[in-house]
Amino acid sequence: MKSTIQLIVGLLFFCSCATKHLTSKVSDPLTDSFREESFLRYTEDRLKTLENTPYQALAKCHGGDTTEGLNQLQKKMKENKKDPEYWNQVGMCYFLNEDYTKAEYFYELSLSQVKKRSFAPALNNLGVLKLKLRHYEDALNYFKNAASASGAHKVPLFNQAQVYLQFNLLDQAAPILEDLSKTSKNDPDLLFSLGSVYLLKGQMKRALHTYNQIPDSYKNREDVTLVRAISLYEQGLYYEAKEALEAKNFIDYVPLKRSAQKLTKLLEEKIKAIEAKEAANNKKG
């Protein structure tokens, strides 16, 4: 892969993948393959469906009202003080409120309620917290422990793959994402990550094929638009790549905007060279 494209992709993944774990909202539950393990991608409408459930307080926190969520949890402390899920929810509310010290304390309290500290949700959340603090080795260990806990746990596996992706450990990330994709064929974040593995490996046709499987309602995302354009560029489809970039205003995330600008410049150079060659050939004819 050309060094210029490596620069663009490196910037994209350093600034995006390892810091945005399942935070893009997914409106259709059927495309959210992690819906049973995480509420991070729940839209406002989906959070409303959690009213009158054991997750009502946590839904408040995910909806931005951490004060009310914590108040509701506080009222239930006496009856739930030995429940690891209860303390995990308290920790998540503090995490969402960016109070990471308290979040870690309550995640640890959650683990203390379980033999061998094997409660996957709290282990995974500790991994996310460590990742947020850029303690990558600790994060990876927590994700591995969460994934190996009893039961099926997709989120820690996905998060584990994201750490591998950030450090360009593609051979470690690929089998995890490919295995997850077998049962989650329409999940936008999963397809984005898997396509990006192929992109970084230089398997451009495979990457583009994977990106094209992302449901139409998510193809307009800035990150998806950029990586699709990169894969088109690498296949020599310069006009298609330029058209894709021009159809999107990169305003949500500055590093993506800068990457798109760099790629646009490369495309303009390629197209200019093609048109100059065509003009020269026409003169000869």
Side-chain angles (χ1 to χ4, degrees), residues 49-62:
T49 66
L50 299 174
E51 293 180 3
N52 301 316
T53 74
Y55 302 106
Q56 178 174 307
L58 184 57
K60 289 288 185 182
C61 294
H62 277 283

PDB file of all heavy atoms in Angstrom, residues 49-62:
ATOM      1  N   THR A  49     -37.898   2.051  25.083  1.00  0.00           N
ATOM      2  CA  THR A  49     -38.469   0.709  25.219  1.00  0.00           C
ATOM      3  C   THR A  49     -37.982   0.018  26.486  1.00  0.00           C
ATOM      4  O   THR A  49     -38.505  -1.041  26.852  1.00  0.00           O
ATOM      5  CB  THR A  49     -38.111  -0.165  24.000  1.00  0.00           C
ATOM      6  OG1 THR A  49     -36.694  -0.395  23.970  1.00  0.00           O
ATOM      7  CG2 THR A  49     -38.531   0.501  22.701  1.00  0.00           C
ATOM      8  N   LEU A  50     -36.986   0.593  27.158  1.00  0.00           N
ATOM      9  CA  LEU A  50     -36.449  -0.001  28.378  1.00  0.00           C
ATOM     10  C   LEU A  50     -37.163   0.483  29.638  1.00  0.00           C
ATOM     11  O   LEU A  50     -36.821   0.057  30.738  1.00  0.00           O
ATOM     12  CB  LEU A  50     -34.946   0.300  28.487  1.00  0.00           C
ATOM     13  CG  LEU A  50     -34.078  -0.254  27.356  1.00  0.00           C
ATOM     14  CD1 LEU A  50     -32.645   0.225  27.500  1.00  0.00           C
ATOM     15  CD2 LEU A  50     -34.135  -1.777  27.322  1.00  0.00           C
ATOM     16  N   GLU A  51     -38.135   1.380  29.465  1.00  0.00           N
ATOM     17  CA  GLU A  51     -38.918   1.828  30.614  1.00  0.00           C
ATOM     18  C   GLU A  51     -39.682   0.645  31.207  1.00  0.00           C
ATOM     19  O   GLU A  51     -40.141  -0.249  30.492  1.00  0.00           O
ATOM     20  CB  GLU A  51     -39.896   2.930  30.197  1.00  0.00           C
ATOM     21  CG  GLU A  51     -39.200   4.224  29.772  1.00  0.00           C
ATOM     22  CD  GLU A  51     -40.180   5.305  29.363  1.00  0.00           C
ATOM     23  OE1 GLU A  51     -41.399   5.055  29.476  1.00  0.00           O
ATOM     24  OE2 GLU A  51     -39.729   6.375  28.917  1.00  0.00           O
ATOM     25  N   ASN A  52     -39.787   0.640  32.529  1.00  0.00           N
ATOM     26  CA  ASN A  52     -40.461  -0.437  33.258  1.00  0.00           C
ATOM     27  C   ASN A  52     -39.753  -1.776  33.087  1.00  0.00           C
ATOM     28  O   ASN A  52     -40.384  -2.837  33.082  1.00  0.00           O
ATOM     29  CB  ASN A  52     -41.926  -0.559  32.819  1.00  0.00           C
ATOM     30  CG  ASN A  52     -42.699   0.728  33.051  1.00  0.00           C
ATOM     31  OD1 ASN A  52     -42.574   1.362  34.100  1.00  0.00           O
ATOM     32  ND2 ASN A  52     -43.491   1.116  32.072  1.00  0.00           N
ATOM     33  N   THR A  53     -38.435  -1.713  32.911  1.00  0.00           N
ATOM     34  CA  THR A  53     -37.598  -2.915  32.865  1.00  0.00           C
ATOM     35  C   THR A  53     -36.491  -2.745  33.906  1.00  0.00           C
ATOM     36  O   THR A  53     -36.297  -1.648  34.448  1.00  0.00           O
ATOM     37  CB  THR A  53     -36.957  -3.123  31.481  1.00  0.00           C
ATOM     38  OG1 THR A  53     -35.891  -2.167  31.313  1.00  0.00           O
ATOM     39  CG2 THR A  53     -37.982  -2.971  30.365  1.00  0.00           C
ATOM     40  N   PRO A  54     -35.739  -3.807  34.201  1.00  0.00           N
ATOM     41  CA  PRO A  54     -34.621  -3.674  35.148  1.00  0.00           C
ATOM     42  C   PRO A  54     -33.526  -2.712  34.676  1.00  0.00           C
ATOM     43  O   PRO A  54     -32.618  -2.388  35.447  1.00  0.00           O
ATOM     44  CB  PRO A  54     -34.087  -5.109  35.245  1.00  0.00           C
ATOM     45  CG  PRO A  54     -35.244  -5.972  34.891  1.00  0.00           C
ATOM     46  CD  PRO A  54     -35.980  -5.215  33.830  1.00  0.00           C
ATOM     47  N   TYR A  55     -33.622  -2.272  33.421  1.00  0.00           N
ATOM     48  CA  TYR A  55     -32.597  -1.379  32.874  1.00  0.00           C
ATOM     49  C   TYR A  55     -33.083   0.058  32.729  1.00  0.00           C
ATOM     50  O   TYR A  55     -32.449   0.869  32.058  1.00  0.00           O
ATOM     51  CB  TYR A  55     -32.155  -1.905  31.503  1.00  0.00           C
ATOM     52  CG  TYR A  55     -31.625  -3.316  31.551  1.00  0.00           C
ATOM     53  CD1 TYR A  55     -32.399  -4.381  31.064  1.00  0.00           C
ATOM     54  CD2 TYR A  55     -30.384  -3.594  32.097  1.00  0.00           C
ATOM     55  CE1 TYR A  55     -31.931  -5.680  31.118  1.00  0.00           C
ATOM     56  CE2 TYR A  55     -29.908  -4.903  32.159  1.00  0.00           C
ATOM     57  CZ  TYR A  55     -30.678  -5.925  31.663  1.00  0.00           C
ATOM     58  OH  TYR A  55     -30.224  -7.217  31.730  1.00  0.00           O
ATOM     59  N   GLN A  56     -34.192   0.380  33.362  1.00  0.00           N
ATOM     60  CA  GLN A  56     -34.781   1.710  33.218  1.00  0.00           C
ATOM     61  C   GLN A  56     -33.825   2.808  33.683  1.00  0.00           C
ATOM     62  O   GLN A  56     -33.656   3.835  33.002  1.00  0.00           O
ATOM     63  CB  GLN A  56     -36.082   1.785  34.012  1.00  0.00           C
ATOM     64  CG  GLN A  56     -36.760   3.152  33.968  1.00  0.00           C
ATOM     65  CD  GLN A  56     -38.123   3.144  34.649  1.00  0.00           C
ATOM     66  OE1 GLN A  56     -38.967   2.318  34.316  1.00  0.00           O
ATOM     67  NE2 GLN A  56     -38.319   4.033  35.601  1.00  0.00           N
ATOM     68  N   ALA A  57     -33.181   2.611  34.834  1.00  0.00           N
ATOM     69  CA  ALA A  57     -32.266   3.631  35.361  1.00  0.00           C
ATOM     70  C   ALA A  57     -31.049   3.774  34.458  1.00  0.00           C
ATOM     71  O   ALA A  57     -30.596   4.892  34.162  1.00  0.00           O
ATOM     72  CB  ALA A  57     -31.830   3.266  36.783  1.00  0.00           C
ATOM     73  N   LEU A  58     -30.522   2.650  34.001  1.00  0.00           N
ATOM     74  CA  LEU A  58     -29.363   2.695  33.111  1.00  0.00           C
ATOM     75  C   LEU A  58     -29.714   3.392  31.808  1.00  0.00           C
ATOM     76  O   LEU A  58     -28.894   4.126  31.236  1.00  0.00           O
ATOM     77  CB  LEU A  58     -28.862   1.276  32.841  1.00  0.00           C
ATOM     78  CG  LEU A  58     -27.597   1.152  31.990  1.00  0.00           C
ATOM     79  CD1 LEU A  58     -26.438   1.922  32.600  1.00  0.00           C
ATOM     80  CD2 LEU A  58     -27.232  -0.315  31.802  1.00  0.00           C
ATOM     81  N   ALA A  59     -30.937   3.178  31.327  1.00  0.00           N
ATOM     82  CA  ALA A  59     -31.379   3.854  30.104  1.00  0.00           C
ATOM     83  C   ALA A  59     -31.379   5.362  30.290  1.00  0.00           C
ATOM     84  O   ALA A  59     -31.045   6.112  29.361  1.00  0.00           O
ATOM     85  CB  ALA A  59     -32.769   3.364  29.711  1.00  0.00           C
ATOM     86  N   LYS A  60     -31.748   5.820  31.490  1.00  0.00           N
ATOM     87  CA  LYS A  60     -31.696   7.256  31.782  1.00  0.00           C
ATOM     88  C   LYS A  60     -30.274   7.782  31.629  1.00  0.00           C
ATOM     89  O   LYS A  60     -30.039   8.855  31.052  1.00  0.00           O
ATOM     90  CB  LYS A  60     -32.205   7.527  33.197  1.00  0.00           C
ATOM     91  CG  LYS A  60     -33.690   7.342  33.392  1.00  0.00           C
ATOM     92  CD  LYS A  60     -34.481   8.463  32.711  1.00  0.00           C
ATOM     93  CE  LYS A  60     -35.965   8.356  33.003  1.00  0.00           C
ATOM     94  NZ  LYS A  60     -36.747   9.399  32.305  1.00  0.00           N
ATOM     95  N   CYS A  61     -29.318   7.030  32.137  1.00  0.00           N
ATOM     96  CA  CYS A  61     -27.916   7.438  32.041  1.00  0.00           C
ATOM     97  C   CYS A  61     -27.459   7.467  30.585  1.00  0.00           C
ATOM     98  O   CYS A  61     -26.780   8.407  30.160  1.00  0.00           O
ATOM     99  CB  CYS A  61     -27.035   6.502  32.857  1.00  0.00           C
ATOM    100  SG  CYS A  61     -27.336   6.588  34.647  1.00  0.00           S
ATOM    101  N   HIS A  62     -27.848   6.465  29.826  1.00  0.00           N
ATOM    102  CA  HIS A  62     -27.480   6.436  28.399  1.00  0.00           C
ATOM    103  C   HIS A  62     -28.158   7.561  27.638  1.00  0.00           C
ATOM    104  O   HIS A  62     -27.626   8.035  26.628  1.00  0.00           O
ATOM    105  CB  HIS A  62     -27.853   5.085  27.787  1.00  0.00           C
ATOM    106  CG  HIS A  62     -26.830   4.016  28.029  1.00  0.00           C
ATOM    107  ND1 HIS A  62     -25.650   3.943  27.324  1.00  0.00           N
ATOM    108  CD2 HIS A  62     -26.823   2.988  28.912  1.00  0.00           C
ATOM    109  CE1 HIS A  62     -24.949   2.903  27.756  1.00  0.00           C
ATOM    110  NE2 HIS A  62     -25.630   2.311  28.708  1.00  0.00           N
TER     111      HIS A  62
END
